[in-house]
Amino acid sequence: MSNLAQSKNIKTESKQKSSLLNQPKAIWAVGFACIIAFMGIGLVDPILPAIAEKMHASHSDVTLLFTSYNLVMAFAMLITGYISSRIGIKWTLLLGIMIIAVFSGLGGNSNSIWELVWLRGGWGLGNALFVATALSAIVSLSRSGVAQSIILYETAIGLGISVGPLLGGELGSISWRGPFYGVACLMVIAFLLLSFMMPKTKVVKNTKKTSFLDPFRALKHRSLLTLGITAFLYNFGFFTLLAFSPFFMGLDEHGLGYVFLGWGLLLAITSVFMAPKLQQKIGTLKSMYAMLTLFAITLIIMGIGTETNNVIIFSVIIAGAFLGNNNTLITTAVMQAAPVERSTASAAYSFLRFIGGAIAPYLAGKLAEWFNPHVPFYVGGCFVLLSVFFLFINKKHLIHIDKAESAH
């Protein structure tokens, strides 16, 4: 009897693995476009010092490249459902890709930091349209379940975030303009792939037209609001690390690219392989407590060792593991948090998340100017610890997520 049960388990596991890889061509096209879109987050990291030097800008001025990008993304998330419910998933994805290509290309041609900041905002608009719709497209078109679809999505994110800095470092060593032109070219390729590979008649469209107010209505559910505020708080740490740490590694564009490649690879590997195991073993909430606490400790160590290059380098790389786990855990939780459309839940959550990501980079630069370079990392770490505390005091609203995981 035990042998029979074991045989069944082996068959089930092999079936799940094959279903994860056995996907329609459209899924791989969306995944490829996701990789390129998420390159945009880490692409500018290796060239931040170079941009500051070439454009005679302060650290806080340069961090506005993240602030404008995230701020526009946050508010644009609120209209993604409205647009996709009217023109369909395919055309929303293509529109987002086209906007990214145009604004990244224009960014490479800019001659002042403020012009570049505004153009990064336009890039954020395209990214919002693409990112919010891509998750919905992968979940809808995938042959596997929601959990497996999220793993595919997080894999694409991880690859994009890890390859972005590498590409930024390589092209940035030629000119700081290179990474912007590079993304524009790659987005044209993604546009062509999606145009031909995504189905025309079988595109999943919302039968119900989405309103601008739907994401705000979704936040009435305490579970979704809790996860959104948690992400808002922990993104202070995330984007402090991403936007501010490059100034304290003492590396050129190549070196910064390799450091963030290591960060991104750890993020990708843990999000795909480690996070699901943590979920099964100790549950989603306890896993999030652990990962966020470890990330907060890492930021505090960075605050202590700000003037030691190797401390910053090692801390950035190891933080990728904590962030990769947490990204998958919280994305999975959001998809199960409230009885609303997945795209609406994603828009509401992302709005809060990217507001945090918009404030943090500029605040980090200003805190360093007002006090000293140690303070931004301490403040980022405190915000992440606050996210753990907030998640813990609201855990009663999220118990159903762990129960759903156990039942699955």
Side-chain angles (χ1 to χ4, degrees):
M1 204 54 192
S2 60
N3 289 337
L4 182 62
Q6 193 176 6
S7 173
K8 282 183 178 178
N9 286 337
I10 291 168
K11 283 181 181 177
T12 305
E13 284 175 15
S14 62
K15 208 173 188 180
Q16 286 176 343
K17 286 176 184 175
S18 63
S19 65
L20 181 62
L21 297 174
N22 182 24
Q23 302 291 350
K25 289 181 182 178
I27 290 287
W28 302 116
V30 174
F32 174 75
C34 276
I35 291 170
I36 300 167
F38 276 95
M39 283 181 184
I41 292 178
L43 181 89
V44 297
D45 271 311
I47 55 173
L48 287 177
I51 291 173
E53 184 186 345
K54 298 287 184 186
M55 294 190 169
H56 308 290
S58 68
H59 290 178
S60 59
D61 289 341
V62 174
T63 58
L64 283 170
L65 294 175
F66 284 95
T67 292
S68 62
Y69 179 81
N70 286 326
L71 187 63
V72 172
M73 271 192 80
F75 284 95
M77 284 291 176
L78 300 174
I79 63 168
T80 53
Y82 179 88
I83 293 171
S84 65
S85 66
R86 284 158 177 78
I87 67 174
I89 287 177
K90 180 176 180 177
W91 287 108
T92 307
L93 290 172
L94 291 174
L95 177 63
I97 288 172
M98 185 169 64
I99 292 172
I100 294 170
V102 169
F103 279 94
S104 60
L106 290 173
N109 204 42
S110 59
N111 293 307
S112 75
I113 188 64
W114 298 108
E115 184 183 353
L116 193 56
V117 166
W118 282 104
L119 290 169
R120 270 287 279 183
W123 188 340
L125 170 62
N127 223 49
L129 288 169
F130 179 84
V131 168
T133 316
L135 178 56
S136 179
I138 288 175
V139 171
S140 301
L141 295 168
S142 175
R143 291 182 182 138
S144 49
V146 174
Q148 300 281 5
S149 301
I150 289 170
I151 289 173
L152 283 171
Y153 178 71
E154 290 295 338
T155 303
I157 290 176
L159 287 171
I161 288 176
S162 58
V163 173
L166 183 64
L167 180 68
E170 292 302 316
L171 295 177
S173 64
I174 302 168
S175 166
W176 70 264
R177 300 178 190 273
F180 292 91
Y181 292 137
V183 166
C185 293
L186 287 170
M187 273 299 173
V188 171
I189 296 170
F191 184 92
L192 294 172
L193 281 173
L194 276 183
S195 297
F196 293 108
M197 292 176 73
M198 268 199 88
K200 293 179 181 178
T201 55
K202 294 182 181 179
V203 174
V204 180
K205 297 181 182 179
N206 297 329
T207 53
K208 178 187 171 186
K209 294 287 191 291
T210 304
S211 162
F212 288 120
L213 297 175
D214 282 353
F216 292 108
R217 293 190 187 110
L219 289 173
K220 290 178 181 177
H221 296 280
R222 284 294 296 273
S223 53
L224 188 58
L225 181 63
T226 297
L227 292 171
I229 293 175
T230 299
F232 169 84
L233 294 169
Y234 112 81
N235 264 281
F236 273 83
F238 186 108
F239 281 97
T240 296
L241 179 141
L242 208 59
F244 198 61
S245 64
F247 298 109
F248 301 97
M249 294 186 199
L251 299 172
D252 62 9
E253 291 86 352
H254 280 293
L256 289 171
Y258 287 122
V259 169
F260 280 99
L261 171 65
W263 171 81
L265 286 174
L266 266 184
L267 188 147
I269 291 165
T270 53
S271 67
V272 176
F273 298 106
M274 190 174 173
K277 293 185 186 301
L278 285 172
Q279 271 179 317
Q280 291 169 9
K281 196 165 186 179
I282 62 174
T284 301
L285 294 181
K286 287 180 180 177
S287 299
M288 285 172 66
Y289 299 150
M291 292 301 112
L292 289 172
T293 302
L294 288 169
F295 179 46
I297 292 169
T298 304
L299 285 167
I300 291 167
I301 291 170
M302 291 173 75
I304 296 167
T306 304
E307 293 170 0
T308 308
N309 295 345
N310 288 338
V311 170
I312 300 297
I313 291 168
F314 179 77
S315 297
V316 166
I317 293 171
I318 200 69
F322 309 138
L323 293 168
N325 278 308
N326 192 65
N327 285 351
T328 296
L329 293 166
I330 201 166
T331 304
T332 306
V334 167
M335 292 295 102
Q336 301 171 343
V340 296
E341 292 273 343
R342 290 190 187 107
S343 57
T344 303
S346 178
Y349 158 76
S350 296
F351 169 70
L352 293 174
R353 174 172 58 137
F354 286 115
I355 287 289
I359 299 169
Y362 187 65
L363 178 65
K366 283 299 177 186
L367 285 171
E369 289 172 12
W370 294 335
F371 302 103
N372 60 65
H374 302 265
V375 173
F377 296 111
Y378 290 137
V379 171
C382 289
F383 269 105
V384 177
L385 285 175
L386 189 57
S387 75
V388 179
F389 176 72
F390 183 79
L391 192 63
F392 180 76
I393 63 173
N394 287 280
K395 63 181 179 179
K396 64 182 180 183
H397 302 294
L398 302 168
I399 291 171
H400 67 283
I401 292 170
D402 273 334
K403 285 182 178 176
E405 285 296 323
S406 298
H408 178 72

